[in-house]
């Protein structure tokens, strides 16, 4: 893709202890784990935007990066694709703070006249992705609930589609206050 246009999304980045917790969770052997440095919670998917708008958005992140509470995992799920399971995700327990953050980000996007995908916000962290030819839904080895999930950064990422899945790069970030 042209350097002037990038496929972007805004996400929360877990702190180091949370990354370790998430990377220690078991996932089906057939699925490809998300690399530990790429674990994130997507808050807003933007699609393809110009570098200029991306720059403005990057500057705006600090205005919405307020302190967040500790979140809890609720369960691990497989999310389906058209023909087979697609993702293994950790779903977070419902949190007003996350929906309030999504609303603040939506307001910034509107002010910058940036589009935001209107899929329902389902707060989750993708742990693993299934290859296209995965057929059977694998049993999850253990139910997982109540683990602490902390985020320390709100970031704008670009997503580059590659042969073995998307690769994410941080374009701008704002530290979340404690
Ligand atoms: O990595 P996760 O699962 O958090 O599913 C895509 C991925 O989320 C999601 O944005 C993240 C980076 O690609 N995504 C992709 N296309 C999307 C769309 N059209 C989307 N989310 C909402 N609408």
């Amino acid at each position: 893709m042209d350097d002037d246009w990038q496929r972007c999304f805004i996400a929360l980045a877990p702190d180091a202890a949370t990354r370790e917790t998430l990377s220690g969770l078991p996932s089906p052997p057939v699925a490809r784990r998300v690399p530990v440095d790429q674990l994130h919670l997507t808050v807003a998917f933007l699609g393809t935007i110009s570098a200029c708008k991306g720059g403005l958005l990057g500057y705006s992140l600090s205005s919405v990066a307020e302190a967040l509470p500790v979140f809890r995992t609720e369960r691990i799920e497989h999310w389906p694709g058209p023909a087979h399971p697609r993702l293994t995700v950790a779903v977070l327990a419902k949190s007003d703070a996350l929906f309030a953050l999504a609303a603040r980000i939506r307001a910034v996007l509107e002010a910058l006249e940036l589009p935001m995908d209107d899929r329902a916000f389902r707060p989750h962290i993708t742990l693993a992705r299934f290859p296209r030819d995965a057929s059977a839904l694998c049993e999850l080895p253990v139910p997982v609930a109540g683990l602490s999930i902390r985020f320390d950064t709100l970031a704008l990422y670009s997503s580059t589609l590659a042969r073995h899945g998307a690769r994410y790069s941080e374009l701008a970030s704002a530290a979340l206050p404690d």
Side-chain angles (χ1 to χ4, degrees):
M1 186 181 295
D2 194 306
D3 277 354
D4 291 341
W5 294 88
Q6 282 175 309
R7 189 169 184 268
C8 291
F9 64 101
I10 295 174
L12 288 164
D15 70 7
T18 301
R19 284 182 196 280
E20 204 175 314
T21 302
L22 293 168
S23 67
L25 293 177
S27 70
V30 68
R32 206 171 41 241
R33 294 194 78 104
V34 174
V36 67
D37 64 319
Q38 302 257 298
L39 291 164
H40 64 272
L41 184 150
T42 302
V43 187
F45 179 79
L46 306 167
T48 302
I49 65 169
S50 70
C52 170
K53 286 274 168 103
L56 292 172
L57 184 54
Y59 282 120
S60 307
L61 286 181
S62 57
S63 68
V64 291
E66 294 177 12
L68 292 176
V70 178
F71 301 104
R72 301 276 163 197
T73 55
E74 192 171 80
R75 59 186 178 278
I76 294 198
E77 292 182 346
H78 292 306
W79 282 5
H84 54 74
R86 194 169 56 93
L87 303 175
T88 296
V89 302
V91 176
L92 300 197
K94 199 169 167 351
S95 155
D96 290 343
L98 272 179
F99 283 86
L101 173 66
R104 292 198 298 279
I105 289 175
R106 190 180 285 273
V108 167
L109 297 178
E110 277 171 12
L112 292 175
E113 297 183 341
L114 278 165
M116 177 171 159
D117 190 277
D118 55 6
R119 268 189 215 172
F121 179 40
R122 297 165 74 192
H124 69 277
I125 299 172
T126 298
L127 301 175
R129 296 177 201 283
F130 287 82
R132 283 188 193 283
D133 55 0
S135 50
L137 185 63
C138 319
E139 288 282 314
L140 283 172
V142 286
V144 178
L147 297 176
S148 300
I149 302 290
R150 291 185 174 82
F151 299 101
D152 59 13
T153 308
L154 180 68
L156 173 67
Y157 292 92
S158 68
S159 164
T160 309
L161 300 175
R163 195 151 162 262
H164 292 295
R167 190 75 201 164
Y168 306 138
S169 309
E170 194 182 285
L171 300 177
S173 68
L176 297 171
D178 290 332

